Amino acid sequence: MRIDIITCLPQLLESPFSHSIVKRAVDRAKIAIHIHNLREYAVNKYGQVDDCLYGGGAGMLLMIEPIVRCINALKAKVDYQEFIYMAPDGEPLTQKVANELSLQENLVILCGHYKGVDERVREHFITREISIGDYVLSGGELAAAVLVDTIVRLLPGVLSDATSALTDSFQENLLAPPAYTRPANFQDMSVPDVLRSGNASAIQQWRYEKALERTKKRRPTLYHDQHGTESG
Ligand code: ADE
């Protein structure tokens, strides 16, 4: 898979892809991440990529011209399935959205900054808009890093069986059950006996029940999506 990210602040994306699982996926060529500095497509020699709002108002908006120039340069070389814009008013990022996107070959992610982007970009060049939550970030870069992370961990061969994405929270519309590691007892706090019993089916049953219990309590909407609205 290939992901191209368009940003006017590429420095913000250096660290998220240089460590841990995403870095390993890059090193193993499971994913290619290309970051494009919008300023290379600026409208003048001063590197201008933003301007003030027609009609007035505070803040600056990324201009259509550099973005379209950059998108066209990318399109000339690669066939992309989606042009994604990270925006607080986009569709909420869920595990389902990440699963869907992980099946694509090539994606472009555009990061807004300041007040966002000229609306014509969203209307004519963007195919999907994604939000990582109901709050406003200073730009789309951190949101793009979150989106990429959710996608990359789903790619075949990225996680080992032991850390399989299939056991992640949300994968079955269920939160993950509680997990423990050594020591078995710490200051009178002990690990549930069943997890040390060696009884695989009892462990599996315990984990399922705890996952259900946790989902019902912490994410009642997810629980009802999965199990209907019957009481109990
Ligand atoms: N850009 C600014 N805030 C955002 C959010 N919540 N999700 C995605 N992109 C954003």
Side-chain angles (χ1 to χ4, degrees):
M1 183 180 203
R2 170 184 170 130
I3 300 181
D4 290 80
I5 305 178
I6 305 173
T7 168
C8 59
L9 273 174
Q11 303 90 323
L12 273 179
L13 289 168
E14 273 162 24
S15 179
F17 306 139
S18 308
H19 306 278
S20 184
I21 287 165
V22 177
K23 177 179 189 298
R24 216 171 54 213
V26 170
D27 291 346
R28 292 185 187 166
K30 306 290 178 196
I31 177 92
I33 301 171
H34 298 270
I35 295 172
H36 305 275
N37 187 347
L38 198 57
R39 292 199 192 278
E40 286 171 18
Y41 301 86
V43 293
N44 55 33
K45 64 178 181 184
Y46 306 107
Q48 186 182 357
V49 291
D50 59 347
D51 212 333
C52 38
L53 280 72
Y54 273 119
M60 304 286 270
L61 214 53
L62 290 179
M63 302 166 87
I64 187 168
E65 218 180 319
I67 294 172
V68 170
R69 243 187 251 153
C70 182
I71 287 179
N72 285 343
L74 296 178
K75 269 185 179 170
K77 291 196 210 124
V78 178
D79 209 10
Y80 294 96
Q81 286 80 50
E82 298 275 16
F83 292 84
I84 298 165
Y85 175 55
M86 303 310 302
D89 56 356
E91 79 180 287
L93 174 59
T94 59
Q95 193 61 49
K96 182 167 171 278
V97 171
N99 290 349
E100 271 169 37
L101 292 174
S102 73
L103 300 174
Q104 305 292 1
E105 279 285 301
N106 305 307
L107 301 173
V108 170
I109 302 176
L110 171 65
C111 305
H113 220 82
Y114 319 116
K115 281 280 169 196
V117 298
D118 188 303
E119 188 65 21
R120 290 167 290 184
V121 173
R122 300 177 71 164
E123 273 174 21
H124 299 285
F125 297 90
I126 294 298
T127 57
R128 197 158 185 174
E129 302 188 327
I130 296 178
S131 162
I132 65 160
D134 287 344
Y135 41 80
V136 179
L137 300 163
S138 309
E141 287 78 8
L142 299 180
V146 169
L147 176 62
V148 170
D149 194 288
T150 63
I151 294 171
V152 169
R153 59 185 290 107
L154 297 170
L155 299 177
V158 168
L159 296 185
S160 64
D161 283 351
T163 53
S164 164
L166 293 175
T167 59
D168 282 348
S169 274
F170 302 109
Q171 218 29 287
E172 302 279 344
N173 265 4
L174 281 180
L175 300 181
Y180 302 84
T181 186
R182 283 185 290 185
N185 291 295
F186 178 73
Q187 296 179 353
D188 285 341
M189 294 174 275
S190 52
V191 171
D193 287 339
V194 61
L195 296 178
R196 303 175 61 217
S197 68
N199 181 339
S201 68
I203 292 171
Q204 195 182 8
Q205 181 63 23
W206 183 89
R207 285 186 169 144
Y208 179 65
E209 282 165 12
K210 289 291 171 190
L212 273 182
E213 195 180 298
R214 192 162 263 199
T215 310
K216 203 168 163 183
K217 195 164 165 198
R218 300 185 184 189
R219 295 285 192 283
T221 328
L222 261 188
Y223 178 84
H224 291 306
D225 283 354
Q226 176 86 345
H227 301 276
T229 48
E230 84 281 4
S231 57

